[in-house]
Amino acid sequence: MNPLGVASIVTPGVDWLGVAPVALLALAAIGIVLQRSILRRASVAYPSALIVAAVGIILSAVALIAQWHRVQTDGSYTTLSKMVAVDGFSIFIGGVVLVATACSVLLASRYLDRERLDGPEYLALMLLSASGMLAMASANDLIAVFVALEIVSIPLYVLVAYDRRRSTSLEAGMKYFLLGAFASAVFLYGVALTYGATGSTGLVGIANYLSEVTLLERGTLLAGLVLMLVGLGFKVAAAPFHMWTPDVYQGAPTPVTAFMASATKAAAFAALIRILYTALGGSSSDWRPLLWVLAVLSLLVGSIGAVIQTDVKRMLAYSSINHAGFILIGVQAGTIKGVSSALTYLAIYAFLAVGSFAIVGVVAGRGDADSDLERFKGLSSRRTGLSWAFTLLLLAQAGVPLTAGFIAKFGVFSAAAGAGGTSYVLALIGMLTAAIAAFVYLRIAATMFTPAGEGDQVLASSKVDLGTGIVIWFSCALTIVIGVAPGFLLGLAERATLLFLR
Amino acid sequence: MDFPILTALILLPFVGALFVACLPSNRPETIRIAGMMTAIATLGLTLWMLADFETGKAGYQFLSSHAWFSDLGVRYTLGVDGISLFMVVLNALLLPIALLASTGVNERAKAFTVWLLVLEAALMGAFLALDLVLFFVFFEVVLVPMYFLIAGWGHGRRNYAATKFFIYTMAGSAFLFIGILAVGFLHKSSTGVLTFDVRVLTQWAPAGIAPTTAAWLFAAFTIAFAVKVPLVPLHTWLPDAHTEAPTAGSVILAGVMLKLGTYGFLRFAIPIFPAAAVKYAPVLLTLAVIGIIYGAIVATMQPDLKRLVAYSSIAHLGFVVLGTFALTRQGLDGAVFTMLSHGLTTGVLFLIIGFLYERRHTRLIADFGGLWRSAPIMGGLFVVTAFASIGLPGFSGFVGEFLALLGTFMGHRWYAVVAASGVILAAIYLLWAVQRAFTGVPEGDNATISDLNVRELACILPLLALSLFLGVYPKPALDRIGPSVKAVIAHVEKSTSYESPKFSKHSPILNEERMDHGSDEMEESK
């Protein structure tokens, strides 16, 4: 009792290391905005913003590594009154997000320069979105998940529409904003229903509630779960909530597309997996059929939809829906193995997507509007290295062995085989859609190796700058290294899952 | 530890490919020499292995095993036995010949050589792998170099053919992959150990997997291998791929790659699911017989020489599947022997057609005529090869197909009777083609066609000589194939109630003991 006779408000204890990665990125974003108001000249503003961004990402990565060591020795823990979980899972996803963010920042420089767009704000938005993703990976409470989701989404709406002189970018931004806001609302409604049913928004609280009742007998809770699935399904681009994906991926600036395909997907899957496994882990037999259906639809829509496209960015957008289906195969297994395989898949897909979109960005050239398949014709004779790199990444996406893509698929399929039963059917459908999707990848590859005829619009001398070059080299090297010696990544994912707080 | 010769067999062509990739692309001669040296070194290594291979042993030799990605139970396990031995040899033998035959490829010669060497490495891996996942890895990787060979250096509708080939096989192997995972995880759930080792699974699976499950898994394996062989309803990728592929691609595709399918049956599908194999053998025998007859009839009607040979491959591989699912020692002997022999003779046919195409830029039979008179050596060799391919006694084709038919006759008489007519049909389509293309009086371009040169002869003659040698004296091959095949049959008999039909003891010539001592004597007595 203090002198006023009022009970003092007990503030929750904060473990600063636990929130450091999120906070550092957000600070970097704020720092960029602040310095922009001081440094007015573009020639100074952008490089200094880039330095702040780099420092922010590196410090955040250092904090993640420190977390990893702490979690290794002391075990997983929560902070901010159980709102934030710090465990191997959140650190792994955080790492994937940071790598993807770093790559997207590297891609951005050349793009912004080429399109004569303002740089510092772009970086600030991207870092802010990334900080939301890190928060999402460790969100241990539905409210935290929602807040993180909004921090991720709102900067993304702006980023998608960043090329404001190009109508397709604006259109994509508007679409993404309207549908995204709707999805957020649906998710929030799901949270409300869940809270109404269980009296708790904490994932552990929900799990405790469920340990005494059956999920299928609680209609409100079930409705809440379904609505949350819709909201997150939208973010991971799983069918039937995928409608925005091709338009937005096509219209958005290519570095933003790369960022969305890699980092956003990883973060949204992180939230999905944490809700399903921590809060509803005990009732996995009840939600598995739902995910089964989502997975089948994503696999089919993604692969078949890609076949009829003529624009490479749209093809890759559909392929990203297809990949979401593969990740769902791992998630729906409902086992520890399923989580670690989904993590592996997310990590591998992140650099495959970033690398692929980096190449598309180079080929699409100025204006970024023309990523039509025709434009790739004869690329091999003009840009031999680039065409081989793209071929490698495409083959990896098809899941050809000795590339990282095979390791990713092998992981989710073994998780499915470990779960048995209907998962086998799902795995078979997955493999068959992989063959359909392979058609698309081969079509792109074959186009690149077909000589360009008269009158074909050919690639002007758009050079591969240093940042883009690093991204492409990095993703190609990882594709092969992980394809041949996956032990390190698999081990990391395994450790991360073992330290998964449930 | 001994020198890891099998790993060297995979790595050598691969390292050679990397080396060639680093050479400057404006020096095609250097590239060819480097590629050739690699291929010949691999052949030398293979011959060394062949010399070291212990005849009369059934088990795997030169075994080596290392952990690969251990959390998922996958190991890098290699070994060779009588069933895979000659596929490895054939692969190593055909590669230098394919390179030698492709000296005319000047457009992007570097990439061409690199892909061929990668193809060799991947095929080596597929035939040597004793871990199901490792096998699958190579089984799929093989598609990539072949895709680029067809799409990059093929004829006419090459993109269509290459893509069809890739998608078809990939869709087939989807089933195989799920099947492999299922076997591994069933083993895990019953014994607690996750492994994909063929040796372990072969011992465990026959009793460890419930019959219904085994039947489904057998079906999954069968679909993948049937696409590869190809068995008839799943064969439509083959004529396109063969016709549009460059000569070197066709030679390797027909000579080695198709055998991955039949090899898969012998190594994986039958030993792991013996009961299902016995139960569903009639289905596969029927498909094989349909393949033999259908392939031969369709071949007869082809206007394009290369397409004709492609369909003849379907018929020949039908004999292999027939012999395999006869599930008798003679049948399996014949199947493995035909795999070897078909690689030799069909290789030569594709080579000669390729040489013809280089001269006349057409493969249509109707465009040829009287070639024998203008190019007597080519004509003569083509006829000899045609005879070898038909299975005339004295050539390796006869030994293989005879054994396959004999093995089938013992257990499934009527299948053998119908299939035997395929031999006659083979004579019809090949000799009719010879008659139209090579006999008569040459006109126009056909009159001035140049005969085979030394390089081209160097490609053809070793294969023909080998075919002739094995036709007259098949003992060296059969002695090495025999024990492994016997072990497969013994395994099937041990793990099911099946008993393979034997020759009657009263038969004066064809009794068990003579068969044990060597089938070659029987061949010569015919």
Side-chain angles (χ1 to χ4, degrees):
Chain A
M1 279 292 168
N2 57 20
L4 294 174
V6 186
S8 66
I9 299 168
V10 182
T11 51
V14 180
D15 174 77
W16 290 105
L17 181 61
V19 294
V22 180
L24 285 167
L25 276 188
L27 278 178
I30 294 166
I32 291 171
V33 176
L34 282 180
Q35 70 152 26
R36 174 63 166 156
S37 62
I38 301 165
L39 303 168
R40 300 270 171 148
R41 280 188 32 216
S43 59
V44 189
Y46 186 71
S48 55
L50 202 57
I51 292 171
V52 176
V55 169
I57 292 174
I58 291 168
L59 286 181
S60 178
V62 170
L64 275 184
I65 293 170
Q67 280 186 0
W68 178 260
H69 283 294
R70 170 147 177 210
V71 167
Q72 290 283 340
T73 46
D74 304 348
S76 313
Y77 61 97
T78 58
T79 180
L80 285 175
S81 53
K82 297 193 176 167
M83 285 287 231
V84 172
V86 180
D87 54 11
F89 180 81
S90 73
I91 299 168
F92 189 95
I93 291 286
V96 173
V97 168
L98 278 188
V99 170
T101 310
C103 288
S104 308
V105 168
L106 282 174
L107 292 182
S109 306
R110 162 86 184 155
Y111 175 82
L112 296 169
D113 186 36
R114 191 177 73 195
E115 310 298 330
R116 304 217 165 78
L117 293 167
D118 296 331
E121 292 81 357
Y122 179 97
L123 294 179
L125 289 167
M126 194 162 261
L127 290 190
L128 205 57
S129 181
S131 80
M133 292 174 191
L134 291 186
M136 211 157 156
S138 53
N140 200 30
D141 186 291
L142 291 178
I143 296 297
V145 173
F146 178 72
V147 171
L149 190 69
E150 289 304 287
I151 300 176
V152 171
S153 304
I154 293 171
L156 267 184
Y157 301 144
V158 185
L159 281 174
V160 169
Y162 203 77
D163 193 350
R164 59 187 179 280
R165 288 187 292 271
R166 191 157 53 81
S167 62
T168 44
S169 176
L170 289 177
E171 183 193 326
M174 187 52 95
K175 268 185 188 152
Y176 191 42
F177 170 63
L178 281 178
L179 290 171
F182 194 64
S184 295
V186 170
F187 178 80
L188 193 58
Y189 195 35
V191 172
L193 286 181
T194 310
Y195 178 65
T198 63
S200 166
T201 54
L203 299 187
V204 180
I206 298 169
N208 289 339
Y209 173 80
L210 271 173
S211 60
E212 288 153 25
V213 301
T214 318
L215 175 60
L216 286 181
E217 288 167 2
R218 290 289 180 278
T220 325
L221 182 54
L222 200 58
L225 164 68
V226 171
L227 291 179
M228 287 194 292
L229 269 185
V230 172
L232 290 173
F234 175 87
K235 290 289 167 198
V236 303
F241 317 113
H242 66 283
M243 303 299 182
W244 59 278
T245 317
D247 292 342
V248 173
Y249 275 31
Q250 186 190 14
T254 312
V256 177
T257 315
F259 184 61
M260 288 171 76
S262 51
T264 313
K265 209 183 240 341
F269 260 113
L272 181 68
I273 292 172
R274 200 183 282 280
I275 291 175
L276 288 176
Y277 280 73
T278 304
L280 303 157
S283 348
S284 65
S285 55
D286 296 335
W287 52 256
R288 282 186 59 200
L290 285 174
L291 289 202
W292 196 92
V293 174
L294 283 187
V296 168
L297 287 175
S298 305
L299 289 167
L300 290 176
V301 168
S303 57
I304 296 170
V307 171
I308 53 175
Q309 302 303 322
T310 55
D311 185 284
V312 174
K313 258 171 129 178
R314 283 183 88 85
M315 288 180 184
L316 292 180
Y318 274 102
S319 116
S320 140
I321 300 170
N322 184 241
H323 285 296
F326 279 109
I327 300 167
L328 283 171
I329 294 180
V331 178
Q332 69 85 38
T335 56
I336 283 293
K337 201 84 199 158
V339 176
S340 77
S341 72
L343 284 182
T344 316
Y345 204 114
L346 284 168
I348 289 172
Y349 179 64
F351 64 76
L352 289 182
V354 167
S356 305
F357 282 114
I359 293 170
V360 174
V362 172
V363 177
R366 205 177 139 65
D368 202 31
D370 199 1
S371 46
D372 197 85
L373 190 58
E374 284 296 307
R375 205 178 162 89
F376 286 76
K377 218 172 189 181
L379 190 70
S380 71
S381 51
R382 284 170 285 127
R383 282 291 172 74
T384 315
L386 201 63
S387 58
W388 281 115
F390 201 18
T391 307
L392 174 68
L393 293 174
L394 290 172
L395 287 176
Q397 292 205 39
V400 170
L402 299 184
T403 65
F406 176 72
I407 304 300
K409 291 207 163 67
F410 188 73
V412 291
F413 287 143
S414 6
T422 50
S423 291
Y424 277 117
V425 182
L426 189 56
L428 184 61
I429 295 174
M431 278 305 278
L432 290 176
T433 64
I436 301 174
F439 171 77
V440 177
Y441 304 132
L442 288 179
R443 194 168 149 213
I444 302 176
T447 311
M448 290 194 294
F449 289 94
T450 310
E454 292 285 318
D456 280 331
Q457 34 170 318
V458 292
L459 178 64
S461 62
S462 82
K463 277 163 68 179
V464 178
D465 66 311
L466 182 67
T468 314
I470 292 174
V471 172
I472 295 172
W473 270 106
F474 170 75
S475 46
C476 287
L478 273 188
T479 304
I480 292 177
V481 169
I482 293 182
V484 176
F488 178 70
L489 182 68
L490 292 176
L492 216 55
E494 187 114 328
R495 295 278 319 142
T497 319
L498 286 181
L499 297 167
F500 187 25
L501 200 68
R502 338 191 350 162
Chain B
M1 196 188 144
D2 295 334
F3 176 66
I5 188 164
L6 300 186
T7 304
L9 277 179
I10 299 172
L11 279 186
L12 187 60
F14 187 70
V15 171
L18 284 184
F19 176 70
V20 170
C22 297
L23 291 174
S25 49
N26 54 0
R27 306 274 287 280
E29 282 315 308
T30 323
I31 287 165
R32 286 207 187 96
I33 291 171
M36 200 53 155
M37 297 291 276
T38 312
I40 288 177
T42 314
L43 177 60
L45 206 58
T46 311
L47 292 179
W48 180 26
M49 180 201 71
L50 184 64
D52 263 11
F53 187 86
E54 259 180 76
T55 312
K57 266 177 69 174
Y60 299 110
Q61 306 188 22
F62 311 107
L63 272 170
S64 67
S65 185
H66 305 277
W68 188 25
F69 31 111
S70 41
D71 337 358
L72 297 173
V74 179
R75 289 183 69 81
Y76 172 85
T77 310
L78 301 180
V80 66
D81 72 349
I83 295 173
S84 51
L85 177 69
F86 286 101
M87 292 301 102
V88 173
V89 174
L90 193 61
N91 185 20
L93 176 69
L94 286 178
L95 222 277
I97 288 172
L99 278 172
L100 188 61
S102 317
T103 44
V105 175
N106 288 318
E107 189 196 347
R108 288 172 292 141
K110 183 166 99 170
F112 186 81
T113 313
V114 169
W115 282 130
L116 266 181
L117 290 173
V118 171
L119 181 63
E120 180 178 27
L123 283 166
M124 285 288 181
F127 283 117
L128 294 174
L130 291 184
D131 186 285
L132 276 169
V133 175
L134 188 66
F135 169 77
F136 181 81
V137 164
F138 286 116
F139 189 77
E140 286 268 288
V141 165
V142 163
L143 302 182
V144 177
M146 191 48 99
Y147 171 82
F148 281 105
L149 282 174
I150 298 176
W153 292 268
H155 313 287
R157 299 194 302 159
R158 56 196 188 183
N159 273 338
Y160 166 78
T163 307
K164 188 171 176 182
F165 156 77
F166 196 101
I167 305 295
Y168 228 111
T169 323
M170 203 172 162
S173 44
F175 293 90
L176 176 64
F177 189 51
I178 304 304
I180 287 174
L181 285 177
V183 174
F185 277 90
L186 286 172
H187 182 259
K188 187 189 180 191
S189 62
S190 85
T191 63
V193 185
L194 182 61
T195 181
F196 295 98
D197 193 312
V198 178
R199 294 164 299 171
V200 177
L201 293 176
T202 309
Q203 293 310 315
W204 166 80
I209 300 180
T212 331
T213 318
W216 282 105
L217 294 177
F218 178 73
F221 276 61
T222 300
I223 289 172
F225 296 140
V227 168
K228 203 82 173 184
V229 171
L231 277 175
V232 148
L234 303 172
H235 68 283
T236 54
W237 62 272
L238 179 100
D240 288 319
H242 261 321
T243 315
E244 309 305 346
T247 303
S250 301
V251 170
I252 304 290
L253 182 58
V256 191
M257 221 166 132
L258 298 186
K259 275 73 171 195
L260 276 177
T262 49
Y263 170 77
F265 279 123
L266 285 164
R267 168 74 80 233
F268 305 110
I270 295 177
I272 298 182
F273 314 110
V278 171
K279 191 171 172 194
Y280 295 102
V283 177
L284 284 145
L285 286 171
T286 310
L287 290 179
V289 171
I290 293 175
I292 293 170
I293 305 296
Y294 171 84
I297 292 176
V298 179
T300 316
M301 294 302 143
Q302 292 307 313
D304 182 318
L305 266 181
K306 218 172 173 184
R307 242 183 140 75
L308 184 148
V309 180
Y311 275 106
S312 87
S313 281
I314 298 178
H316 284 295
L317 270 294
F319 278 107
V320 178
V321 176
L322 187 76
T324 304
F325 280 94
L327 293 173
T328 56
R329 272 174 49 207
Q330 290 74 15
L332 259 66
D333 267 337
V336 179
F337 198 87
T338 307
M339 280 156 72
L340 171 61
S341 146
H342 172 257
L344 301 174
T345 52
T346 307
V348 180
L349 284 177
F350 276 127
L351 285 170
I352 297 183
I353 293 167
F355 298 147
L356 254 180
Y357 182 80
E358 282 171 20
R359 288 167 168 71
R360 293 275 285 103
H361 297 284
T362 175
R363 292 182 309 259
L364 294 181
I365 299 175
D367 290 346
F368 299 123
L371 293 176
W372 203 328
R373 205 167 287 186
S374 45
I377 303 180
M378 186 197 277
L381 285 178
F382 193 87
V383 173
V384 172
T385 318
F387 282 136
S389 182
I390 292 164
L392 209 67
F395 288 101
S396 58
F398 171 75
V399 180
E401 287 177 11
F402 177 80
L403 279 171
L405 285 172
L406 181 71
T408 314
F409 189 81
M410 287 153 55
H412 304 86
R413 178 164 304 185
W414 289 104
Y415 289 102
V417 170
V418 181
S421 67
V423 181
I424 299 159
L425 287 170
I428 294 175
Y429 63 74
L430 270 173
L431 292 183
W432 194 33
V434 166
Q435 186 198 1
R436 283 178 293 166
F438 285 90
T439 59
V441 181
E443 285 167 5
D445 287 344
N446 290 333
T448 56
I449 198 167
S450 58
D451 213 336
L452 295 179
N453 58 29
V454 178
R455 172 180 67 89
E456 291 163 343
L457 283 175
C459 293
I460 294 172
L461 288 179
L463 297 179
L464 262 188
L466 210 56
S467 173
L468 192 64
F469 171 75
L470 288 174
V472 178
Y473 188 60
K475 183 173 158 61
L478 286 173
D479 276 356
R480 287 166 176 80
I481 297 170
S484 302
V485 157
K486 197 173 161 187
V488 171
I489 294 293
H491 172 73
V492 174
E493 286 179 339
K494 192 182 74 184
S495 40
T496 63
S497 56
Y498 171 77
E499 239 181 273
S500 75
K502 305 274 191 306
F503 285 109
S504 153
K505 288 283 179 202
H506 309 295
S507 168
I509 301 169
L510 298 171
N511 65 36
E512 272 295 290
E513 273 160 74
R514 279 186 71 92
M515 289 302 295
D516 274 340
H517 286 140
S519 327
D520 56 298
E521 296 162 36
M522 179 194 69
E523 294 304 329
E524 279 155 351
S525 69
K526 287 270 115 183

